[in-house]
Amino acid sequence: MMKFAWDNYKLYAWGKNELRPLTRNGHIGNMFGGLRGASIVDSLDTLYIMGLMDEYNDAKEWVKTSLDLNSNGEASLFEVNIRYVGGLLSAYYLTGEELFKNKAVELGEKLLPAFNTPTGIPRGVINLGSWGWASAGSSILAEFGTLHLEFVHLTELSSNPIYTEKVMNIRKLLNKIEKPHGLYPNFLSPVSGNWVQHHVSIGGLGDSFYEYLIKSYLMSDKMDDDAKKMYYSALEAIEANLVQKSPGGLTYMAEWRGGILDHKMGHLACFSGGMIGIGADDGAPEKRQHYLDLAAEITNTCHESYTRSATKLGPEAFRFDSGAEATATRLSDRYYILRPEVIESYMYMWRLTHDPKYREWGWEAVQALEQHCRVESGFSGIRDVYTTSVSHDNMQQSFFLSETLKYLYLLFSDDDLLSLEDWVFNTEAHPLPIIRRSCLQDEATQEKTVSK
């Protein structure tokens, strides 16, 4: 599947951000400012771990000769960070190629002006060409809360503390301000540092903020106690306010609007099964099994959203009201754009429990993707998962190569391929190594003892 998706991207859209498989051309879009080649940078690590070395070498050569970081245009700080910075960092750590490290640090520098706000909470949009931020308005929790892993690694590689300082400053502000019922709303003013309204969601707008708390703790070799505290208290608030059980016995996470629950769950929120799973072991001892059970229940609900559709692929959002359970009741929610989150949770739950059902569910998804999303020249999202006479959206998303296919590959691989003991995955599935301080500290202590 990866080779087919990649070969068609190379044939019809090389150097563009994504392939449009029906019209056989490239798509640039406006998320990345003037940056190009999103599918290439997003695929480097996937190609490498799958052993597709000719394809990987083509991608590396393109990064070397054609990835232009001096582009003009408004780009999403979040998207550039998770796809480009994350993709380059991961490629460097897997291969040791200095080229990737240098590009990652060069791009990281260009993101710093986004933080020039009264509060240090970055703006969501940055102009990479004119060294400044562009957008007004609110900053989004998932966007400014999803920089930590990459920025800590930028500090590691550049020996410049500024990246870590910027993300620690965000955390300080979040710790200081009041949180309604312990929850984190999705919009914050970068000028006043106050919440702009009280919408809380574990799906889009909120999602990866929570993921980066537990992963910051794990990536720090379990030294970052602040991240640990923030994660478990956020999870407690989520359980108290958002986690619901449907009449049919499905556990889901509702959205919260100023105290009123909206009984819907987005496909994006389906990463949370895996998140709660990887965080289960470090919770209070008496809650470990509870967290693992909760992770399994949420993953099961997300699987149900797939099973209950005609294509066996899940909708963008599904509801639990007026008799419907785990199904999209609105026309506008029925599409599937090759998203990875449900498969991501299968992969984590397989690694944590080795229950064979997770591989079976993953295989169902593979068959559904092959049947309904594979077209003559690539893979395409579909507009309605509830009909088998599918209508394609003509877009092979870069995250399909970076996340969906990588998580499927890992689901069917041995646990020691990118072991969770050694790696954390950024929210675009780019693996970053756990930073071991203990060995450095041991060496330093030994040296002191010796010199004494």
Side-chain angles (χ1 to χ4, degrees):
M1 290 165 84
M2 181 67 189
K3 189 162 166 41
F4 178 72
W6 175 263
D7 287 349
N8 279 289
Y9 167 77
K10 191 175 176 206
L11 191 58
Y12 299 114
W14 189 242
K16 300 287 197 304
N17 286 325
E18 285 114 351
L19 162 69
R20 288 192 175 278
L22 301 183
T23 45
R24 300 195 175 99
N25 59 345
H27 173 252
I28 288 173
N30 53 10
M31 271 194 312
F32 310 112
L35 288 174
R36 299 287 183 266
S39 288
I40 298 176
V41 178
D42 247 352
S43 298
L44 285 162
D45 53 10
T46 309
L47 294 168
Y48 187 82
I49 66 166
M50 289 186 180
L52 295 168
M53 296 316 287
D54 291 346
E55 292 80 357
Y56 159 76
N57 283 318
D58 287 343
K60 180 178 90 176
E61 189 55 31
W62 185 88
V63 170
K64 188 174 166 181
T65 58
S66 307
L67 177 58
D68 178 12
L69 301 180
N70 297 312
S71 54
N72 237 323
E74 294 189 0
S76 158
L77 171 69
F78 166 76
E79 297 291 354
V80 168
N81 178 57
I82 65 171
R83 300 193 204 207
Y84 286 85
V85 177
L88 292 165
L89 287 172
S90 178
Y92 168 68
Y93 284 119
L94 288 167
T95 68
E97 294 274 356
E98 293 286 319
L99 158 74
F100 299 132
K101 174 174 101 170
N102 298 339
K103 291 273 187 194
V105 173
E106 189 189 335
L107 185 53
E109 270 178 36
K110 290 180 174 296
L111 300 181
L112 291 172
F115 296 82
N116 297 339
T117 63
T119 56
I121 296 286
R123 305 268 179 185
V125 174
I126 182 165
N127 190 315
L128 295 169
S130 64
W131 288 81
W133 40 259
S135 75
S138 305
S139 295
I140 294 169
L141 181 68
E143 296 192 351
F144 65 77
T146 310
L147 302 165
H148 200 100
L149 302 182
E150 298 81 3
F151 273 51
V152 167
H153 272 290
L154 286 173
T155 282
E156 287 291 307
L157 294 182
S158 66
S159 304
N160 185 346
I162 190 156
Y163 300 102
T164 301
E165 285 162 13
K166 295 290 185 200
V167 289
M168 285 303 183
N169 183 40
I170 294 173
R171 200 188 275 179
K172 273 187 209 129
L173 183 120
L174 289 175
N175 269 326
K176 202 171 62 191
I177 58 179
E178 192 158 332
K179 289 164 275 293
H181 298 274
L183 296 165
Y184 291 81
N186 290 339
F187 295 97
L188 186 81
S189 162
V191 177
S192 69
N194 295 322
W195 302 115
V196 175
Q197 41 73 326
H198 285 181
H199 172 221
V200 175
S201 150
I202 311 307
L205 306 176
D207 50 12
S208 42
F209 162 69
Y210 304 97
E211 174 192 354
Y212 270 40
L213 290 176
I214 187 61
K215 287 181 175 177
S216 297
Y217 173 65
L218 297 172
M219 194 178 84
S220 72
D221 204 12
K222 305 191 178 180
M223 311 290 261
D224 184 349
D225 277 332
D226 198 27
K228 180 182 181 179
K229 270 199 224 64
M230 286 174 79
Y231 170 74
Y232 288 104
S233 56
L235 187 54
E236 243 168 75
I238 287 164
E239 277 209 78
N241 296 283
L242 307 183
V243 174
Q244 304 287 307
K245 212 173 204 71
S246 73
L250 296 177
T251 303
Y252 63 97
M253 290 188 174
E255 300 193 358
W256 190 85
R257 294 174 193 278
I260 295 160
L261 286 183
D262 185 5
H263 294 273
K264 89 171 217 206
M265 191 165 168
H267 192 292
L268 287 166
C270 283
F271 83 96
S272 60
M275 172 185 78
I276 294 166
I278 58 170
D281 236 17
D282 295 291
E286 69 280 3
K287 296 203 80 170
R288 284 173 193 172
Q289 191 57 48
H290 164 73
Y291 286 140
L292 208 53
D293 293 343
L294 178 60
E297 286 171 30
I298 285 173
T299 305
N300 176 62
T301 298
C302 291
H303 174 247
E304 285 298 319
S305 80
Y306 276 48
T307 308
R308 295 176 187 202
S309 80
T311 55
K312 304 299 176 223
L313 292 165
E316 180 69 5
F318 45 92
R319 304 191 72 88
F320 298 84
D321 46 24
S322 59
E325 295 204 352
T327 50
T329 50
R330 299 176 185 182
L331 214 53
S332 57
D333 288 335
R334 298 169 76 138
Y335 62 92
Y336 171 70
I337 57 169
L338 308 175
R339 286 203 189 279
E341 290 76 19
V342 174
I343 289 159
E344 175 182 349
S345 284
Y346 296 167
M347 190 279 291
Y348 283 116
M349 294 308 291
W350 163 256
R351 289 268 179 112
L352 295 166
T353 67
H354 294 114
D355 184 328
K357 73 181 178 196
Y358 295 113
R359 279 185 163 173
E360 286 157 21
W361 293 355
W363 192 245
E364 287 168 16
V366 167
Q367 291 173 301
L369 284 163
E370 284 284 293
Q371 193 179 342
H372 302 296
C373 299
R374 186 179 180 128
V375 293
E376 205 180 317
S377 304
F379 287 88
S380 168
I382 55 178
R383 292 200 173 88
D384 186 349
V385 297
Y386 298 103
T387 169
T388 46
S389 52
V390 296
S391 159
H392 292 101
D393 68 8
N394 195 23
M395 184 66 77
Q396 180 176 284
Q397 304 279 351
S398 86
F399 56 66
F400 180 66
L401 306 162
S402 169
E403 300 184 72
T404 312
L405 295 179
K406 185 187 288 131
Y407 283 133
L408 280 168
Y409 188 77
L410 293 173
L411 172 62
F412 298 109
S413 302
D414 293 339
D415 290 5
D416 60 1
L417 179 66
L418 297 176
S419 157
L420 301 182
E421 302 293 307
D422 300 311
W423 300 87
V424 295
F425 292 84
N426 90 337
T427 198
E428 189 79 2
H430 294 306
L432 298 170
I434 286 172
I435 297 168
R436 312 257 181 225
R437 292 274 177 242
S438 44
C439 17
L440 300 175
Q441 282 160 349
D442 292 348
E443 281 166 29
T445 326
Q446 276 170 342
E447 274 170 33
K448 274 185 198 148
T449 322
V450 171
S451 59
K452 271 182 196 163

